[in-house]
Amino acid sequence: LLARVCGESSLAATVASVTELTCRTHAQEELRRQMHETIQALRGNIRVFCRVRGGGGEAECAVSVPAGQVEDTVLEIRPVDAAKGGPQRFQFDHAFGAAASQEDVFVEVSQLTQSALDGHNVAIFAYGQTGSGKTFTMEGPGGDPGVTPRAVERLFAHAAELSALGSSFEFEVSCLEVYNEEVRDLLAPPPKGGEPAKLKLQDLAGVVCVQGLKSTRVATAEEVAPLLAAAQRVRSTASTKMNDRSSRSHYVFRMRIRRREGEGGECRESELYLVDLAGSERVKESGVSGEQMVEARAINKSLSSLGDVVAALASGAKHVPFRNSKLTHLMQNALSGSSKTLMFVNISPLAKHYNESVSSLRFAQKVNGCLSSNKRGLPGK
């Protein structure tokens, strides 16, 4: 009898110790979450990075990240004709030169995947002229993955670590495109016409819903890979003078995340949007006509609307024009409230693309008020 009493007492003590450790672990995780959020807020909920595409010869290079900076935040661009003026400098939250690797780029954005797991909506865009390296940055080739596959792997790796502390997760994936102001489902079986299913946007209690959108529940990064491949196969593309496989739509990868703390604990929901925007283009340079001309106009109009929305958010404007385009309306959830927004501005290094590169940099300046000048007040070489 004495042994039985002692055994029960020991068991009770062990249960109490485990309960105390669990509570302490949850408290430490909450503290980590709060500290992470503070750091991200200090860095800015809206950030702009610039990346110079690799592959250009040095003799042709018109864009560079000057050496000698404490942090690479300044980008310099030189005009084709020196008679048109000296070099201009633009400042960003980070600037990646042509030699930057996919890993270098992802290191700077990886913390945003933690924000998504912590319950914040996150949106990462790639913007730039057609052929400037947006799809390479976001998707990458099989042997050198870009932001999207790396973010998916990091999400599941972080989720596994947090699951060991008592959190549970559910993940759902959707892939869409916005083509000529139509929202299309890239994972649903196409109708008889052969094109992806067209969807409608609906506002429900302040949340934008995509009616009929197919969402696939996933549990590993390996389950996501074939979905990404399937979506890319049916995305709208065409050949132009500037790019033999130019994206004619905005491609949106969405992962919905549900996180619960223990049994009956707090539940957080968030969405991660990874967006490969269609390339901005000058019709004169791309040489498009007919249907591709219509596509180009729709692309440029929606990109302009996106710039207006992000600029309004950055300035704290009372009215944010989300409904000016299907793209911004679709992205409203990911851009509102305590969301985190990062835009990559991709730049071609070639001198012949100088005008398009300057246009992209000015777009970035509109987005978050990036400082630009002719070297005045900015770090020198």
Side-chain angles (χ1 to χ4, degrees):
L1 180 60
L2 179 60
R4 179 181 177 184
V5 171
C6 289
E8 290 178 351
S9 176
S10 177
L11 177 60
T14 301
V15 171
S17 177
V18 170
T19 300
E20 181 183 355
L21 287 173
T22 301
C23 291
R24 190 178 301 172
T25 299
H26 287 165
Q28 290 175 343
E29 168 58 19
E30 179 61 23
L31 178 60
R32 180 214 57 78
R33 191 184 69 81
Q34 292 176 2
M35 293 178 65
H36 178 81
E37 168 59 13
T38 299
I39 292 171
Q40 298 309 306
L42 288 172
R43 290 178 174 175
N45 285 344
I46 299 177
R47 304 173 218 169
V48 175
F49 289 178
C50 183
R51 185 180 191 184
V52 181
R53 192 197 72 201
E58 281 298 317
E60 297 179 286
C61 190
V63 188
S64 63
V65 177
Q69 302 180 58
V70 176
E71 294 185 12
D72 290 335
T73 60
V74 177
L75 180 138
E76 181 175 278
I77 183 167
R78 297 176 180 274
V80 178
D81 183 356
K84 294 182 179 180
Q88 299 180 64
R89 289 193 172 187
F90 292 80
Q91 188 164 356
F92 300 90
D93 294 289
H94 199 95
F96 297 95
S101 68
Q102 298 281 61
E103 178 63 23
D104 294 334
V105 171
F106 186 68
V107 164
E108 293 297 324
V109 305
S110 61
Q111 291 302 309
L112 291 177
T113 62
Q114 184 63 60
S115 293
L117 285 176
D118 286 344
H120 298 279
N121 290 336
V122 173
I124 301 177
F125 298 89
Y127 172 89
Q129 72 179 84
T130 183
S132 61
K134 300 180 302 300
T135 300
F136 179 81
T137 293
M138 294 305 294
E139 306 301 327
D144 194 15
V147 169
T148 298
R150 289 174 187 267
V152 169
E153 286 193 6
R154 186 63 59 89
L155 274 173
F156 284 108
H158 281 170
E161 295 171 1
L162 293 169
S163 295
L165 301 178
S167 298
S168 61
F169 294 89
E170 293 179 3
F171 299 94
E172 291 182 2
V173 166
S174 301
C175 295
L176 314 88
E177 71 173 355
V178 179
Y179 172 78
N180 277 355
E181 285 300 286
E182 294 178 350
V183 179
R184 297 177 171 184
D185 190 340
L186 297 180
L187 294 182
K192 292 182 179 180
E195 294 182 347
K198 300 175 184 178
L199 307 172
K200 292 184 178 180
L201 304 180
Q202 184 177 16
D203 291 89
L204 297 174
V207 176
V208 177
C209 300
V210 186
Q211 293 180 321
L213 175 64
K214 180 179 180 179
S215 293
T216 303
R217 183 168 292 188
V218 292
T220 66
E222 289 72 23
E223 293 179 2
V224 176
L227 299 177
L228 292 174
Q232 288 293 343
R233 282 196 297 269
V234 295
R235 184 183 179 186
S236 301
T237 61
S239 176
T240 70
K241 287 184 178 179
M242 297 185 69
N243 189 354
D244 59 0
R245 196 171 186 275
S246 174
S247 300
R248 312 308 291 171
S249 68
H250 307 301
Y251 168 70
V252 180
F253 168 85
R254 187 189 77 177
M255 179 172 281
R256 180 167 287 170
I257 304 166
R258 296 184 184 89
R259 175 180 178 179
R260 186 175 294 279
E261 305 299 339
E263 296 229 0
E266 180 183 5
C267 183
R268 298 189 181 98
E269 294 191 7
S270 58
E271 293 179 345
L272 171 65
Y273 285 76
L274 303 174
V275 185
D276 179 10
L277 296 169
S280 61
E281 63 182 73
R282 299 185 181 210
V283 173
K284 180 180 177 181
E285 299 292 336
S286 62
V288 297
S289 60
E291 183 179 351
Q292 291 183 17
M293 173 83 77
V294 175
E295 294 170 346
R297 288 172 176 168
I299 289 168
N300 290 336
K301 180 181 178 181
S302 60
L303 290 174
S304 178
S305 296
L306 177 62
D308 293 338
V309 163
V310 181
L313 291 168
S315 66
K318 292 182 179 180
H319 173 67
V320 180
F322 285 113
R323 289 174 171 267
N324 282 5
S325 78
K326 282 291 197 306
L327 173 66
T328 52
H329 194 188
L330 172 66
M331 299 297 300
Q332 182 172 341
N333 298 343
L335 297 174
S336 303
S338 63
S339 64
K340 317 297 177 188
T341 302
L342 170 63
M343 178 177 287
F344 278 101
V345 178
N346 293 80
I347 301 294
S348 166
L350 303 183
K352 65 182 181 180
H353 294 153
Y354 172 80
N355 290 333
E356 289 76 15
S357 295
V358 169
S359 178
S360 294
L361 291 170
R362 287 174 177 164
F363 177 88
Q365 185 177 8
K366 172 184 177 180
V367 166
N368 78 337
C370 293
L371 175 65
S372 70
S373 73
N374 294 320
K375 295 189 176 182
R376 187 175 302 170
L378 292 176
K381 291 186 177 180

